Amino acid sequence: MTDEASSEAEANVARLHEILDLRRLEFTAASSETDFFIGHSQYKPDGRVFGGQVLAQCVVAAAATLPSDRLIHSLHGYFLRAGDVSEPIEFGVERLRDGRSFSARRVHAYQKGAPILSLSASFQDDQPGLSHAEQMPTGLPAPDDCPELLDYIGDEDSPVVSDWLRKRPFEVRPVEPSLHTSGVSDPSITEQHSWFRASSTFGDDPVLNAAALAYASDFNLLEPVLRHHELTWRTPGLRVASLDHAMWWHHRVRVDDWMLYVQESPAAQGGRGLGYGRIFAQDGTLLATVAQEGMVRVKEVQ
């Protein structure tokens, strides 16, 4: 990596830290069981807030109402409206329950007085118990043997590339050919794999690492839907929007270590497609499981 690229990668990760640094709002709430925070967004050329960003900020907001050693293990959220990157986002955290081992929180993310995301999350103390996990796929090339996503794109300088893909705080190395290129996807590839990690040193805060993984979990999870139907991100008339997102953390994570994202699509129907993913550490440990349903439509181009 050149000095210029390294500086850009560090700046992208620093920006993610800034986005996750929410400010607590100090005013009398309608309920003493609700805490309020405010945050800002990463720029995207289409003006819409990246869903993974709001998920990550909700994790941080909910965790701020809990002891530092009670960490998130699951979330379930619905994307209700498109967010506006030019507007701040307000987060309201409802303290639903605090038990001896588990805590539950509900988080609503608001813009202009309306919710853009509604999410429930559960947190747990570290505890011993039964343990088993799905195995990581074998026979895949190592991260260093896979091209970086931007290598597929080359010298293209569209706003989507220059203002979004190049400024994401994660390095992504697809195993299969990227759907960001032109042409037709291969429908025989129904399961796709990508290596990814934070593009520079991230730090060891477990809350921020869990939040950053939620951010990255929204990368391309609906791509397998496109592969089933020989579509790419450049297909004329393609419209894709996330509807909901669920995630389960199985172990603590370090997002600046290489991880493998295994993604597939069990079903699509009625203009909706379901993506399912598993995130593994490079040593094969299953770190997280993710599911997302999205609107996937191809409108006829006039």
Side-chain angles (χ1 to χ4, degrees):
M1 185 180 293
T2 66
D3 290 343
E4 181 180 358
S6 178
S7 296
E8 184 177 25
E10 291 174 4
N12 292 342
V13 170
R15 178 58 178 151
L16 177 57
H17 275 281
E18 292 174 6
I19 289 168
L20 298 180
D21 186 17
L22 305 181
R23 177 169 60 88
R24 186 185 289 270
L25 296 177
E26 302 293 345
F27 58 84
T28 303
S31 167
S32 60
E33 297 300 311
T34 304
D35 301 80
F36 291 91
F37 303 83
I38 195 164
H40 299 277
S41 295
Q42 178 181 4
Y43 176 75
K44 278 179 76 231
D46 62 3
R48 299 162 68 98
V49 175
F50 173 51
Q53 172 207 300
V54 190
L55 294 171
Q57 290 171 316
C58 286
V59 171
V60 172
T65 69
L66 289 159
S68 60
D69 57 351
R70 185 164 286 194
L71 298 177
I72 192 167
H73 72 87
S74 69
L75 67 76
H76 302 260
Y78 285 90
F79 298 102
L80 304 176
R81 294 173 177 82
D84 182 344
V85 296
S86 67
E87 295 284 337
I89 305 174
E90 185 177 304
F91 300 88
V93 182
E94 298 177 52
R95 304 186 184 206
L96 299 180
R97 183 178 185 273
D98 288 308
R100 286 178 294 181
S101 301
F102 291 88
S103 292
R105 297 290 186 266
R106 180 180 293 119
V107 188
H108 290 106
Y110 298 95
Q111 280 190 328
K112 303 175 183 177
I116 63 172
L117 174 70
S118 178
L119 177 147
S120 296
S122 183
F123 296 73
Q124 182 189 16
D125 296 334
D126 276 337
Q127 294 179 317
L130 300 175
S131 180
H132 74 273
E134 193 169 353
Q135 299 297 303
M136 184 170 75
T138 59
L140 297 174
D144 289 343
D145 296 325
C146 298
E148 219 279 338
L149 175 61
L150 295 174
D151 293 339
Y152 281 104
I153 297 169
D155 296 330
E156 182 183 331
D157 198 28
S158 68
V160 170
V161 175
S162 60
D163 292 329
W164 174 235
L165 295 181
R166 295 190 189 281
K167 293 185 177 180
R168 292 198 302 190
F170 280 83
E171 179 180 0
V172 179
R173 293 179 172 265
V175 174
E176 291 82 19
S178 169
L179 297 190
H180 283 280
T181 58
S182 58
V184 176
S185 61
D186 184 348
S188 69
I189 301 175
T190 58
E191 183 178 86
Q192 68 177 26
H193 313 80
S194 293
W195 293 101
F196 72 105
R197 66 177 176 183
S199 50
S200 71
T201 302
F202 188 80
D204 57 6
D205 184 304
V207 172
L208 294 182
N209 274 272
L213 192 65
Y215 176 102
S217 73
D218 197 22
F219 288 164
N220 304 330
L221 189 51
L222 297 176
E223 273 195 0
V225 179
L226 306 186
R227 291 187 183 277
H228 272 279
H229 299 276
E230 301 183 60
L231 305 173
T232 75
W233 291 112
R234 301 190 186 194
T235 298
L238 178 66
R239 299 291 183 270
V240 178
S242 302
L243 297 173
D244 63 7
H245 196 94
M247 185 170 181
W248 299 263
W249 287 257
H250 310 305
H251 290 276
R252 294 194 183 192
V253 301
R254 282 284 310 222
V255 296
D256 47 16
D257 292 334
W258 281 116
M259 296 167 284
L260 179 70
Y261 205 168
V262 181
Q263 301 170 324
E264 58 188 294
S265 175
Q269 184 178 358
R272 307 184 321 276
L274 180 63
Y276 169 70
R278 291 150 290 158
I279 300 174
F280 295 89
Q282 196 168 9
D283 68 2
T285 301
L286 180 61
L287 298 174
T289 303
V290 190
Q292 181 182 97
E293 190 170 48
M295 180 200 77
V296 182
R297 295 173 178 165
V298 180
K299 293 189 175 183
E300 185 175 341
V301 178
Q302 301 298 324

